[in-house]
Amino acid sequence: MAVPLSLLDLAFVGKGQTPRDGLAGSVALAQEAERCGYERVWYAEHHNMKAIASSATSVVIAHVAAHTERIRLGSGGIMLPNHSPLTIAEQFGTLETLHPGRIDLGLGRAPGTDQVTMRALRRDHTSADSFPRDVQELQGYLGDESRVPGVEAVPGQGTKVPIYILGSSLFGATLAAALGLPYGFASHFAPAALEEAVAVYRRDFRPSDQLAEPHVIAGINVFCADSEAEAAAQRQVVARSRLSLFFGRGRTFTDDEADAILASPQGRQLQEMMRYTAVGTPAQVKEQLEAFTEHARADELMVVHQAPTLDARLHSVRLLAEVWGLAGVGAGAGA
């Protein structure tokens, strides 16, 4: 039986677009994902990145939730050391109060940005050290009993918003296992420790009130198109644009320059970040995702449709839903 498919949306701001365009695209993607039967859509907290408009993650979730009806929405993730646990409990408690049964809270401990921006966020360089304690404090605010005497999250208390631990190393896997929480691995951009982290999580998992058995969500990039050539061309466009983002420092490369750099050791390092990427026709992508599911020992896939235009991403969302046999696809799916 095929595992559920979910969608990670970075609220892409394309060349010549504004953040408003990117956020409008996020609404369109979530609506299409809902029609097609995807499990959930998550948004990631990134800062000081012109191509990503999801920095105020809880606000984005609220906006998309108001324009959808059923699909689960959440963070993939909130970088908890950037915030106080009480603030996040209040934000996600409010979201759950407004949209009951539809909100997820994925948590990470990275800054989601560069060192200079991290200081602008007023984040201390030791903030990540308290991540396990902060997660437990947050659980208390969203549960029935706060861990801080005299302090309650309003809204928040008793909402029991499901918490997910996200990461790309053994640290997150160990913490998720110890707390009995679902674990999401960021294999769509940090693939190196996937197998080891999942093995540690499954081996050490302890059941909790939220979760009786381990649940692994693994990220993978997807370029699904009508032809293999079209999908490959989309992937190449995205690889070139990533090169400018990571190494260009504002410089624009010609296609020949970009391809030459991508073929160099530095460029191959960038390519390695996208090791787990499914590219091709629907049938080819389905086969690759099935193999990845087994490889990652995943209970759910978090796919990142990376096509360079919104129309192409929407088409990729539909094609994959159809070939995967999601429940929303068929008569009435486009209603």
Side-chain angles (χ1 to χ4, degrees):
M1 181 177 177
V3 300
L5 288 185
S6 296
L7 191 152
L8 178 65
D9 177 17
L10 298 178
F12 288 119
V13 181
K15 187 176 181 180
Q17 291 186 328
T18 66
R20 183 181 179 89
D21 297 323
L23 294 170
S26 289
V27 170
L29 276 171
Q31 290 172 336
E32 190 62 41
E34 181 172 77
R35 281 192 289 267
C36 288
Y38 282 73
E39 188 80 6
R40 66 187 95 241
V41 183
W42 280 359
Y43 305 90
E45 177 187 346
H46 290 284
H47 298 280
N48 196 29
M49 299 185 73
K50 292 183 178 179
I52 296 176
S54 53
S55 56
T57 313
S58 58
V59 180
V60 174
I61 294 169
H63 179 65
V64 176
H67 289 81
T68 51
E69 297 178 359
R70 301 174 307 278
I71 194 166
R72 297 194 67 88
L73 301 165
S75 58
I78 288 288
M79 300 298 107
L80 189 56
N82 293 347
H83 315 272
S84 75
L86 178 60
T87 297
I88 297 305
E90 291 170 340
Q91 290 177 5
F92 278 77
T94 300
L95 288 168
E96 175 64 21
T97 300
L98 292 171
H99 307 282
R102 296 183 57 201
I103 303 301
D104 300 325
L105 176 51
L107 301 171
R109 66 181 183 126
T113 190
D114 57 81
Q115 295 296 313
V116 174
T117 308
M118 186 178 79
R119 289 193 292 272
L121 287 166
R122 302 297 189 267
R123 169 173 166 154
D124 185 88
H125 70 281
T126 63
S127 298
D129 297 342
S130 63
F131 182 66
R133 184 172 64 250
D134 288 347
V135 171
Q136 291 177 298
E137 183 179 334
L138 179 53
Q139 282 183 301
Y141 290 136
L142 294 172
D144 295 323
E145 186 175 353
S146 171
R147 290 173 176 261
V148 182
V151 179
E152 296 178 355
V154 183
Q157 184 181 28
T159 56
K160 298 181 181 178
V161 176
I163 291 176
Y164 297 72
I165 300 298
L166 313 178
S168 58
S169 69
L170 300 188
F171 180 92
T174 301
L175 179 63
L179 297 180
L181 294 175
Y183 179 53
F185 193 90
S187 35
H188 61 291
F189 75 90
L194 171 63
E195 294 171 85
E196 188 178 4
V198 170
V200 166
Y201 170 69
R202 290 194 175 279
R203 183 194 68 203
D204 297 341
F205 180 83
R206 300 175 186 173
S208 68
D209 290 342
Q210 179 177 327
L211 192 66
E213 297 179 348
H215 186 84
V216 173
I217 303 176
I220 183 169
N221 303 291
V222 168
F223 296 88
C224 192
D226 294 318
S227 70
E228 184 176 0
E230 183 180 357
Q234 291 176 359
R235 188 186 195 281
Q236 188 71 357
V237 169
V238 170
R240 290 166 178 164
S241 65
R242 281 194 168 204
L243 186 68
S244 297
L245 180 66
F246 283 92
F247 301 126
R249 296 177 183 171
R251 177 186 169 191
T252 301
F253 298 103
T254 67
D255 289 350
D256 288 342
E257 288 173 334
D259 292 345
I261 297 171
L262 287 169
S264 70
Q266 188 181 34
R268 285 196 293 273
Q269 181 181 1
L270 182 62
Q271 299 272 46
E272 172 60 16
M273 292 173 62
M274 293 184 68
R275 181 201 311 175
Y276 295 122
T277 299
V279 185
T281 63
Q284 291 171 323
V285 167
K286 180 175 185 284
E287 183 177 354
Q288 293 168 52
L289 291 184
E290 288 173 339
F292 175 72
T293 301
E294 183 175 350
H295 172 75
R297 300 172 64 191
D299 301 295
E300 182 178 338
L301 296 184
M302 183 66 67
V303 298
V304 191
H305 291 275
Q306 291 270 22
T309 68
L310 175 60
D311 285 345
R313 288 194 294 277
L314 290 169
H315 192 49
S316 183
V317 165
R318 286 190 293 268
L319 290 177
L320 178 55
E322 290 169 3
V323 76
W324 204 254
L326 295 187
V329 180

